[in-house]
């Protein structure tokens, strides 16, 4: 007697059709709005003007990533992956940043054909100025909050970012390679 065919797996629920709790909808809307506001050209122009740095948004993103890398000097390709942009885009930005003295590139000691990117003292000073302007903007926006509210929000926000980062890494690791 032949074995019956294996039934197909149950269909995956459509994420769009599932009901979403109101609180999660509010959080998603708030995050979308915050991302929009933080990414606007006007916001960057203010940051650029107050910091006194002639850097575009892409250059600032690269400097922030390098500064947040714990002293590790990544390869340009790894930097592009972390920023979710094309390697050629990062290469152009790195040339510009190097010409202005914000970064240096050196041969990778493990593979002389590859390069590693590091912030210079000028790059560290530049990102410190960007961070200071950003901190002042946050301070101004949250000036009416109590110290307890700030402490609670900082704790929950750190947890949110850590959970998103962990989830993002899981999704990156789970993607099939081409």
């Amino acid at each position: 007697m032949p074995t019956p065919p294996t039934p197909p797996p149950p269909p995956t629920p459509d994420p769009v059709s599932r009901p979403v709790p109101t609180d999660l909808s509010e959080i998603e809307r708030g995050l979308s709005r915050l991302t929009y506001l933080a990414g606007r050209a006007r916001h960057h122009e203010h940051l650029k003007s107050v910091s006194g740095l002639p850097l575009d948004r892409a250059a600032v993103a690269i400097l922030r990533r390098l500064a947040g890398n714990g002293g590790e000097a990544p390869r340009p390709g790894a930097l592009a992956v972390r920023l979710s942009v094309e390697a050629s885009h990062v290469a152009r930005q790195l040339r510009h940043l190097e010409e202005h003295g914000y970064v240096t590139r050196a041969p990778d000691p493990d593979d002389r054909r590859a390069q590693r990117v590091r912030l210079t003292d000028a790059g560290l000073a530049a990102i410190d100025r960007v961070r200071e302007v950003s901190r002042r903007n946050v301070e101004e926006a949250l000036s009416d909050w109590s110290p307890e509210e700030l402490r609670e929000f900082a704790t929950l926000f750190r947890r949110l970012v850590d959970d998103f980062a962990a989830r993002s890494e899981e999704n990156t690791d789970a993607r099939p390679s081409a």
Side-chain angles (χ1 to χ4, degrees), residues 3-177:
T3 52
T6 307
T12 305
D14 180 2
V16 176
S17 67
R18 286 187 294 155
V20 176
T22 304
D23 290 340
L24 290 179
S25 292
E26 284 298 315
I27 291 168
E28 188 278 330
R29 275 195 290 277
L31 287 172
S32 292
R33 185 168 180 217
L34 186 60
T35 301
Y36 165 76
L37 292 169
R40 287 188 317 178
R42 188 168 59 189
H43 173 76
H44 180 74
E45 289 304 315
H46 170 75
L47 180 77
K48 195 166 123 174
S49 170
V50 174
S51 70
L53 297 169
L55 300 171
D56 63 21
R57 284 184 283 185
V60 170
I62 289 172
L63 291 178
R64 281 184 187 271
R65 173 54 75 174
L66 289 170
N69 228 25
E72 181 183 329
R75 291 180 177 182
L79 192 55
V81 168
R82 289 287 176 213
L83 292 168
S84 300
V85 297
E86 296 293 325
S88 61
H89 176 71
V90 169
R92 276 192 307 276
Q93 288 296 327
L94 288 176
R95 268 194 307 278
H96 175 75
L97 289 168
E98 193 172 30
E99 288 168 2
H100 288 85
Y102 295 117
V103 301
T104 60
R105 289 188 265 191
D108 184 332
D110 299 327
D111 179 355
R112 292 286 185 195
R113 297 168 297 171
Q115 294 180 328
R116 296 282 181 166
V117 183
R118 289 192 191 285
L119 286 173
T120 62
D121 288 342
L124 287 168
I127 203 59
D128 283 347
R129 289 191 353 227
V130 166
R131 286 177 172 163
E132 181 57 32
V133 171
S134 293
R135 277 190 293 271
R136 278 191 253 138
N137 288 341
V138 170
E139 180 181 34
E140 185 178 316
L142 303 178
S143 63
D144 293 336
W145 291 38
S146 72
E148 294 79 24
E149 288 171 321
L150 290 171
R151 198 170 12 267
E152 181 179 358
F153 180 67
T155 298
L156 292 172
F157 196 72
R158 188 174 24 259
R159 181 176 169 192
L160 173 75
V161 170
D162 289 347
D163 289 350
F164 265 82
R167 178 67 181 224
S168 174
E169 293 303 315
E170 287 172 13
N171 289 339
T172 301
D173 294 342
R175 276 191 301 187
S177 52

